Amino acid sequence: MAEKTWGGRFRGDTDDRVVAFTESISFDHRLYREDILASQAHGRMLAEIGLLVGDEAEQICAALDAIAAEIESGNFQFSSELEDIHTHIERALIERLGDLGRKLHTGRSRNDQVSTDVKLWARSALDQITTRLVDLQKSLMAAAERDREVILPGYTHMQRAQPVLAAHYFLAYIEKYQRDCDRLADCRRRVNVLPLGTAALAGTSIPIDRDSVAHQLGFESVAANSLDVSSDRDFVLEFVFDLAIVALHLGGWAEEWILWSTTEFGFLQIPDSFCTGSSIMPHKKNPDVLELIRGKTARVCADLQRLMMLVKGLPLAYNRDLQEDKEALFDAVDTVTVSLEAAAGLIRETRFRREAIAARLEDGFLDATTLMEFLVLEGVPLRTAHETVGKLVRHCEERRLRLAQLPVEVFETIKPGLGQRVYGVLGVYNVLAAFKSYGSTAPHEVERQLMKWKKILS
Ligand code: ARG
């Protein structure tokens, strides 16, 4: 029988099926670095309180470094018999140091250990995702500057609504990804609270110094209630929720660009390097990368769902169910990481087909709302103006005309004296120039936003 860290009260071997069913090493091996860092901090603290003496803590830290190197070299032997990463590393330490290795687990439990490891892992994952979000924002900024003169039709309900500057369009996503960064920063505050030292569930009679461990590991504070902490996975749920929003933002944008790259829209030229072909239809160039970004959103949302169901109805304190949190967390982080990288690459490489966009820009009455607002500013009550312009649009549709092509007499019947001035708000260029409100697509507003973001992102 392989020596178990908990083998004392057991007689006989664990059933093979149970070994296979309960192991987590097949996925929690990813926590080896965090487990070693936390163990080294714990060891140094044990020396500070006098439970390790002489150079014992240094010996433990050096042996743990050697174990890390062995894992990194690929020579470390993993086995389901040893359940999880914590047991593997402790066992390897005992193999190297004998009785000294058997002292390290003093005053801690795998329950606070796993939570500490996951928090350390989540903290760096969170920082890594934030870096990629900022890189994506930079790619959007570059696109906004490159295409600052381009005018796009803006849509609601996927129907042409009002014109927008392409820079305004890209800045919209910069804002969304900024909220994602802010959410992650907020989540980080709760991740950065040290669980270690709460032991199994009730704390410990060993006079440990949790502040020392917190300080060594860069945690801002120490969790206050041991019972709470050994069951707390809020931070995993929160982090994955934040990732799900990132994925949803990416998925919505991917859908938009898939549509924009169709023959029907013809707005985008996606480079060959970001497309794949068809094995039967020789002419096809498919936006698979965008489709996968859209498709992978499902994984991240499902990861969140899985975590919420995992903690549903769990009593205090640690329950083995919690072992199931890691795969969902890892998958969500991995998925969002690759999606963010692909998205930033696509945005850097893709170009608008400016002529195709411009050729049909005056279609779809993008100036109707501004005409209505012009009438309001001329003293026509809003509801009357709405009705009037609605009738003009119908009239134009029947005759295949644009609003700007209506003769001046038509406008004179609405309100005598409007004369030629009304043509000053018709057509997309005039419409854009007419925008005034803060946060709108008015060129001066967009310019101000560009300056602001340029400073933030440089
Ligand atoms: N592998 C476990 C997990 O991931 C570690 C904690 C196990 N604790 C225990 N008492 N069985 O949650």
Side-chain angles (χ1 to χ4, degrees), residues 26 43 82 105 114 165 199 207 252 261 289 309 322 337 339 359 421:
S26 54
L82 291 177
H105 209 54
V114 70
L165 284 171
S261 70
V289 175
M309 288 305 100
L322 294 175
T337 300
S339 295
R421 282 180 303 127

Side-chain angles (χ1 to χ4, degrees), residues 67-88:
I67 293 166
E70 197 180 323
I71 294 174
E72 269 150 29
S73 74
N75 294 325
F76 191 88
Q77 222 25 64
F78 289 107
S79 139
S80 341
E81 290 279 333
L82 291 177
E83 279 187 47
D84 55 26
I85 190 63
H86 327 295
T87 313
H88 274 81

Side-chain angles (χ1 to χ4, degrees), residues 24 28 84 86 110-111 114 318 320 323 326:
S24 56
D28 70 14
D84 55 26
H86 327 295
R110 278 187 297 164
N111 299 352
V114 70
Y318 178 82
R320 190 63 176 268
Q323 176 166 296
K326 282 167 274 304

Side-chain angles (χ1 to χ4, degrees), residues 137-152:
Q137 286 181 311
K138 285 180 180 167
S139 73
L140 288 160
M141 186 66 200
E145 290 201 291
R146 189 178 62 216
D147 293 321
R148 65 205 298 162
E149 311 300 339
V150 174
I151 303 172
L152 297 171

Side-chain angles (χ1 to χ4, degrees), residues 350-371:
T350 301
R351 294 289 175 272
F352 278 128
R353 297 179 63 208
R354 295 181 180 205
E355 295 77 44
I357 295 169
R360 297 192 51 207
L361 198 56
E362 296 292 353
D363 292 357
F365 303 101
L366 297 173
D367 46 4
T369 306
T370 312
L371 171 60

Side-chain angles (χ1 to χ4, degrees), residues 159-192:
Q159 306 292 318
R160 285 195 170 212
Q162 291 183 285
V164 293
L165 284 171
H168 195 55
Y169 167 81
F170 287 115
L171 285 164
Y173 282 105
I174 291 182
E175 295 280 349
K176 287 188 196 298
Y177 294 122
Q178 186 56 43
R179 285 198 298 278
D180 292 339
C181 289
D182 294 348
R183 258 187 293 274
L184 287 170
D186 185 49
C187 173
R188 197 183 195 283
R189 294 191 300 121
R190 283 174 291 280
V191 168
N192 216 14

